[in-house]
Amino acid sequence: MRGLAIPMMLAPALLVGCASTSPKATTEPADARPDVAEAKLVKDPGGFTITQAVSAPSDARSDYEKAVRLFKDEKYEPGIALLLKVVERAPDLTAAHIDLGIAYARTGDLDHAEASLSKAVELNPRQADAYNELGLVQRRKGEFAQARASYEAALSLYADFHYAQRNLAILCDLYIGDYACALEHYEAYSRMVPGDAEVVKWIADLRNRKDRKGKP
């Protein structure tokens, strides 16, 4: 059974506001929309880290940080409840919507997961991590064409996003039956992560299947 690649860091990093003592952060009305800067994605050895500098109510920042800690302890339900409060107060926080989507997916609530991740890419169409997570959810829902489009969107932004390369390869191999696509992306992933012996075996297996299929 091929395991889908999911970044190890569940909750992306979010930088909310310039400082917790900012007057704007502590006095902003509940229904005000914060000034939002585009979320930035930085590659690191474990995947990608998302940062976004915004002005937001201090209680939204506090709830976000508490939710991250709950997710690390796999306490998804209370973490989701806190993040719902965050996105009510600061609806443009891309990372919060991504975290919601991941948490919903971990609880098996795929419809809400897809909705949260779709909102994240609506807010920031250059958010490769959100597209990858969205693809995982869509694959689980049997929405294979949509999942492929999501992985391809992630790779169009960051071609060396190895998690998306591996996930797209598995989707093409096991769910769509597009072996040329699968081989292309397994090989791309293997070039980026040459130490993954499991994928090397999958490549060899796929080549053998293609060879047998091509024989008269």
Side-chain angles (χ1 to χ4, degrees):
M1 184 66 179
R2 284 150 170 64
L4 297 175
I6 304 173
M8 294 299 293
M9 181 171 55
L10 171 64
L14 178 66
L15 306 180
V16 183
C18 297
S20 60
T21 57
S22 166
K24 184 173 183 180
T26 56
T27 62
E28 195 169 42
D31 59 350
R33 292 173 70 82
D35 297 329
V36 177
E38 181 178 340
K40 295 181 180 180
L41 184 147
V42 180
K43 184 178 179 182
D44 58 47
F48 290 86
T49 299
I50 305 159
T51 62
Q52 185 180 17
V54 301
S55 296
S58 59
D59 58 344
R61 175 177 181 164
S62 176
D63 283 346
Y64 182 88
E65 293 171 348
K66 290 176 183 176
V68 169
R69 292 193 293 269
L70 287 167
F71 291 155
K72 287 180 179 178
D73 293 335
E74 299 184 357
K75 297 177 180 178
Y76 299 115
E77 296 294 348
I80 288 170
L82 281 175
L83 275 190
L84 288 173
K85 293 180 180 179
V86 171
V87 297
E88 285 179 3
R89 299 295 303 278
D92 294 313
L93 299 187
T94 306
H97 289 283
I98 295 173
D99 282 349
L100 263 178
I102 294 171
Y104 277 130
R106 294 289 176 89
T107 66
D109 188 345
L110 300 183
D111 289 337
H112 279 102
E114 186 172 21
S116 293
L117 293 164
S118 295
K119 181 63 176 180
V121 298
E122 176 188 328
L123 289 169
N124 183 5
R126 296 191 57 78
Q127 188 50 269
D129 193 50
Y131 281 115
N132 180 61
E133 297 293 341
L134 182 58
L136 288 168
V137 170
Q138 291 165 331
R139 194 277 304 165
R140 289 176 64 187
K141 292 182 69 175
E143 299 170 351
F144 301 142
Q146 294 95 318
R148 182 172 186 166
S150 293
Y151 292 140
E152 289 174 344
L155 292 171
S156 73
L157 296 168
Y158 296 93
D160 58 350
F161 190 176
H162 57 286
Y163 291 117
Q165 292 283 5
R166 175 172 166 146
N167 289 339
L168 179 53
I170 291 172
L171 178 75
C172 288
D173 185 4
L174 300 184
Y175 298 93
I176 297 177
D178 185 340
Y179 300 131
C181 163
L183 186 59
E184 174 189 353
H185 293 286
Y186 279 142
E187 289 178 337
Y189 170 85
S190 191
R191 286 192 295 271
M192 297 174 209
V193 190
D196 192 332
E198 189 174 36
V199 170
V200 172
K201 293 178 182 178
W202 296 347
I203 291 171
D205 174 65
L206 185 56
R207 285 175 176 163
N208 288 335
R209 280 185 279 147
K210 287 185 67 178
D211 289 344
R212 289 196 300 269
K213 187 176 180 180
K215 291 181 180 180

